[in-house]
Amino acid sequence: ETGVTQSPTHLIKTRGQQVTLRCSSQSGHNTVSWYQQALGQGPQFIFQYYREEENGRGNFPPRFSGLQFPNYSSELNVNALELDDSALYLCASSFEPTGSGANVLTFGAGSRLTVL
Amino acid sequence: GQNIDQPTEMTATEGAIVQINCTYQTSGFNGLFWYQQHAGEAPTFLSYNVLDGLEEKGRFSSFLSRSKGYSYLLLKELQMKDSASYLCAVRSPGGNKLTFGTGTQLKVEL
């Protein structure tokens, strides 16, 4: 089975720009979550998508937004980039029969964003 | 709110046993996870506890005490490849949000 794949693996942006990060979920998974991991820190929950709708959100401003597509892949969009947005962005997928959170998350290797 | 504490760094010797502790204070609890993360790689699932007690999985075991807000990950017969960051995470009820600790960087030496 194919795991979680993310693109791009690395990218550099400047303050004020916008970025889109992409994620293909593991085969058979229907739920996607996004996490931000700053250097030396644990991942922080941004939001989760189930059945193409946001199904939970962490403490991130509205300039962090996302989409889930019918094939369960997902995008994370960040507008008006700030220096503190520099981090590893991790996508994780799982199969959730009801969206209530029953199963183990499988993570991708992440997209490393540097904001200059 | 959620607060999860684990040591920042640990060092152990190849072949030895190491225990990584995690304490948590959370507003809700629906399971505790341990993940391993090598530098530049995806976190990979190691173990899951939702009831009190010990879960054993090969060289790795994890223990949970919900009344004490405490878990540990036990690694036996350490190998050099076990050098990695070990992340403790608590899942909130009603969804699949994980709240992670900062991770424990384990260094295995000869």
Side-chain angles (χ1 to χ4, degrees):
Chain A
E1 66 187 6
T2 312
V4 177
T5 58
Q6 296 187 240
S7 63
T9 54
H10 295 82
L11 70 166
I12 299 174
K13 293 283 188 178
T14 56
R15 269 188 309 176
Q17 286 189 310
Q18 179 266 343
V19 69
T20 298
L21 308 177
R22 295 179 175 83
C23 172
S24 293
S25 58
Q26 181 169 307
S27 176
H29 287 186
N30 62 357
T31 301
V32 173
S33 303
W34 286 91
Y35 286 78
Q36 180 196 66
Q37 186 175 25
L39 202 60
Q41 301 296 314
Q44 279 198 299
F45 177 74
I46 303 174
F47 43 53
Q48 177 181 274
Y49 278 83
Y50 170 71
R51 290 188 173 180
E52 302 177 51
E53 293 197 359
E54 191 179 285
N55 182 33
R57 188 178 183 94
N59 190 25
F60 281 82
R63 60 190 185 83
F64 286 78
S65 63
L67 286 171
Q68 186 182 30
F69 300 100
N71 66 354
Y72 307 120
S73 65
S74 178
E75 285 182 355
L76 165 65
N77 298 291
V78 187
N79 293 323
L81 283 167
E82 302 177 359
L83 297 179
D84 284 349
D85 296 333
S86 295
L88 181 68
Y89 288 85
L90 295 164
C91 172
S93 71
S94 62
F95 175 70
E96 304 298 336
T98 63
S100 63
N103 295 311
V104 173
L105 296 181
T106 300
F107 283 86
S111 295
R112 183 162 296 282
L113 171 65
T114 302
V115 182
L116 302 176
Chain B
Q2 316 280 65
N3 188 42
I4 298 175
D5 288 316
Q6 49 182 133
T8 305
E9 294 178 344
M10 298 183 72
T11 302
T13 304
E14 189 179 35
I17 299 173
V18 70
Q19 177 174 312
I20 302 174
N21 295 325
C22 172
T23 58
Y24 64 90
Q25 294 172 307
T26 58
S27 54
F29 181 86
N30 189 25
L32 187 143
F33 293 78
W34 285 95
Y35 279 83
Q36 179 193 61
Q37 187 177 29
H38 287 97
E41 296 184 12
T44 54
F45 170 74
L46 290 178
S47 70
Y48 166 65
N49 297 71
V50 66
L51 300 176
D52 291 354
L54 188 68
E55 293 285 339
E56 297 186 83
K57 203 174 178 182
R59 295 190 298 117
F60 297 83
S61 303
S62 57
F63 172 82
L64 175 67
S65 168
R66 289 171 297 169
S67 63
K68 295 181 179 178
Y70 169 69
S71 174
Y72 67 72
L73 179 70
L74 195 71
L75 292 77
K76 303 175 186 175
E77 302 169 14
L78 280 172
Q79 302 173 11
M80 299 298 289
K81 68 178 182 179
D82 296 330
S83 293
S85 179
Y86 291 85
L87 298 161
C88 171
V90 171
R91 183 166 64 191
S92 302
N96 217 352
K97 172 187 173 182
L98 294 183
T99 300
F100 284 86
T102 56
T104 298
Q105 188 65 45
L106 174 65
K107 183 177 180 183
V108 180
E109 299 180 327
L110 291 171

